[in-house]
Amino acid sequence: MIVLFLSFATIIAYGYALGGLGSYAVGVPKPMPIVLGLSGGTIAAVAALLIWKKYLEEIEEENRKLQEQDKEEDDDESVCGGQE
């Protein structure tokens, strides 16, 4: 859920930067919204990617453990001849 909010924050911050860039078109230049929007959006994007990567690594570890358990169960069945 946090990744979703960080993704929204990225889009909003980059939109804020675009709004600051649009201020140049109307003749009232405001560089601060551009800087804040780009830096805030980039920080939020990097944070979202790092959290997502950590989540994917956890899922991969879980899948690896499940595959090892399945393999051990299959090995146990083959040793017992499939009879219990």
Side-chain angles (χ1 to χ4, degrees):
M1 194 69 155
I2 188 85
V3 174
L4 179 65
F5 290 131
L6 286 170
S7 298
F8 285 150
T10 300
I11 293 169
I12 291 168
Y14 284 155
Y16 190 70
L18 285 175
L21 190 61
S23 69
Y24 282 90
V26 295
V28 185
K30 295 180 183 178
M32 192 54 75
I34 298 170
V35 172
L36 291 176
L38 288 177
S39 60
T42 302
I43 290 170
V46 168
L49 288 172
L50 290 175
I51 292 170
W52 185 252
K53 181 180 177 186
K54 183 178 177 182
Y55 172 71
L56 290 178
E57 288 171 354
E58 289 175 6
I59 290 176
E60 185 178 328
E61 183 64 29
E62 257 182 55
N63 286 339
R64 193 173 318 135
K65 286 180 183 178
L66 286 174
Q67 287 176 351
E68 288 174 4
Q69 285 178 349
D70 288 344
K71 186 177 180 183
E72 287 175 5
E73 289 175 4
D74 290 342
D75 290 344
D76 289 343
E77 287 179 8
S78 65
V79 169
C80 295
Q83 300 175 1
E84 291 187 23

